[in-house]
């Protein structure tokens, strides 16, 4: 049986779902000759780890307890004394994490799994890669930091996986890597990489006012608590940057042209969420409806997409043919069209659920298993 020690950073929706997947797949992984040994879990305040990280692990009962405590909105410090694990406060957590990385990295190997949404993990990840550790990311921020941080993370390409940073569980990164490694140059990518904005644009296409669509999306749980986090386009821009860098573009976020669906005067610093939903977004309805009508007259539809082509990298609303893969998009699916030498006139199209804790966590789990050959 091959044992893969892993340390999870981030116990939000994706992190908790990952722990549940690990436990529920024990018998499947045993048939494959693999055991995922969770030696530690940390949130922004605390670290819980096995009493002996070389030989022991957090048992499944403890992992379920971690999920229960975090789903209640509490810190891991609320776990108390679980017997086989030890809890450290924030002041000592980072030092202990580095000690564990140094101990296991060169010996048996260690998978650092970042399911947080924080930039605080960048410093730790940059250090552990030199200790022989592997890195698996659902968190986009380490890959969209400055180029110096990016170069450090990808300096050992066999030891990093980040499929779930773009398109949740969809095989976007893997597909691009296969094309690039085969010498098939990718010259254009266009895609709808936000389930929220995909839903919004397909609904306004049916004639519904933007304000009503956004409110409905929020009630359905499709948006962040503040829908402007989705409508700003920043999340799509981060995904576009990850793809652009994968293609060799040495650019940063501020090099990407980003179209927000609301003006600066309606931003979080200017009005509350309640004010934005009650009066702010209503004033945007007419402009969006005019753009929808103009597109329809041209035989097109509007989609919020990222476009990467040559030196161009931008995200925003584009008119696209109705009969194209992106034009046919309905609901919250992600769709990506990839154009290369082999996929020139007819692009490689990747489509499916591009959001959700379950789908994202499944992608992270697949990434962990993908690096198993690096462990003794």
């Amino acid at each position: 049986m091959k044992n893969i020690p892993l340390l999870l950073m981030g116990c939000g929706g994706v992190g908790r779902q990952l722990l549940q997947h690990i436990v529920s797949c024990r018998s499947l992984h045993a048939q494959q000759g693999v055991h995922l040994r969770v030696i530690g879990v940390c949130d922004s305040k605390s670290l819980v780890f096995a009493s002996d990280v070389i030989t022991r692990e957090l048992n499944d009962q403890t992992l379920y307890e971690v999920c229960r405590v975090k789903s209640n909105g509490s810190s891991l410090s609320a776990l108390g004394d679980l017997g086989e694990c030890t809890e450290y406060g924030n002041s000592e957590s980072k030092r202990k994490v580095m000690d564990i990385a140094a101990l296991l990295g060169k010996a048996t190997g260690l998978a650092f799994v970042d399911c947080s949404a924080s930039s605080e993990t960048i410093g730790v990840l940059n250090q552990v890669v030199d200790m022989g550790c592997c890195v698996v990311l659902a968190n986009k921020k380490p890959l969209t930091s400055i180029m110096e941080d990016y170069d450090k993370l990808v300096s050992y390409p066999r030891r990093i996986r980040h499929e779930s940073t773009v398109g949740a569980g969809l095989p976007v990164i893997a597909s691009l890597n296969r094309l690039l490694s085969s010498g098939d140059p990718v010259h254009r990518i266009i895609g709808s990489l936000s389930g929220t904005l995909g839903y919004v644009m397909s609904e306004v296409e049916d004639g519904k006012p933007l304000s009503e669509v956004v409110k409905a999306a929020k009630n359905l749980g499709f948006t962040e608590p503040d829908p402007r986090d989705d409508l700003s386009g920043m999340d799509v821009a981060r995904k576009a940057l990850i793809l652009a860098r994968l293609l060799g573009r040495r650019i940063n976020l501020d090099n990407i042209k980003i179209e927000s669906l609301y003006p600066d005067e309606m931003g979080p610093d200017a009005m509350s969420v309640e004010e934005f939903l009650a009066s702010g977004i209503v004033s945007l309805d007419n402009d969006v409806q005019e753009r929808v009508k103009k597109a329809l007259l041209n035989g097109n539809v509007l989609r919020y997409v990222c476009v990467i082509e040559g030196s161009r990298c931008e995200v925003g609303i584009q008119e696209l043919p109705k009969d194209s893969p992106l034009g046919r998009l309905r609901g919250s699916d992600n769709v990506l069209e990839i154009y290369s030498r082999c996929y020139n006139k007819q692009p490689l199209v990747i489509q499916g659920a591009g959001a959700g804790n379950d789908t994202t966590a499944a992608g992270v789990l697949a990434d962990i298993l993908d690096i198993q050959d690096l462990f003794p």
Side-chain angles (χ1 to χ4, degrees), residues 2 4 32-34 36 161 367-376:
K2 177 171 288 191
I4 300 178
Q32 298 170 347
V34 178
L36 301 185
R161 296 292 185 278
D367 271 352
I368 297 169
L369 294 170
D370 195 45
I371 56 173
Q372 61 180 284
D373 289 344
L374 300 179
F375 291 82

Side-chain angles (χ1 to χ4, degrees), residues 43-55:
D43 59 15
S44 60
K45 298 178 180 177
S46 303
L47 164 68
V48 174
F49 60 96
S51 55
D52 179 359
V53 295
I54 295 290
T55 61

Side-chain angles (χ1 to χ4, degrees), residues 231-233 257-262 291 304 315-318:
L231 301 177
S232 69
K257 182 181 177 183
I258 306 170
E259 179 184 2
S260 172
L261 294 190
Y262 63 89
R291 293 180 72 173
Y304 194 97
V315 299
I317 296 177
Q318 298 271 339

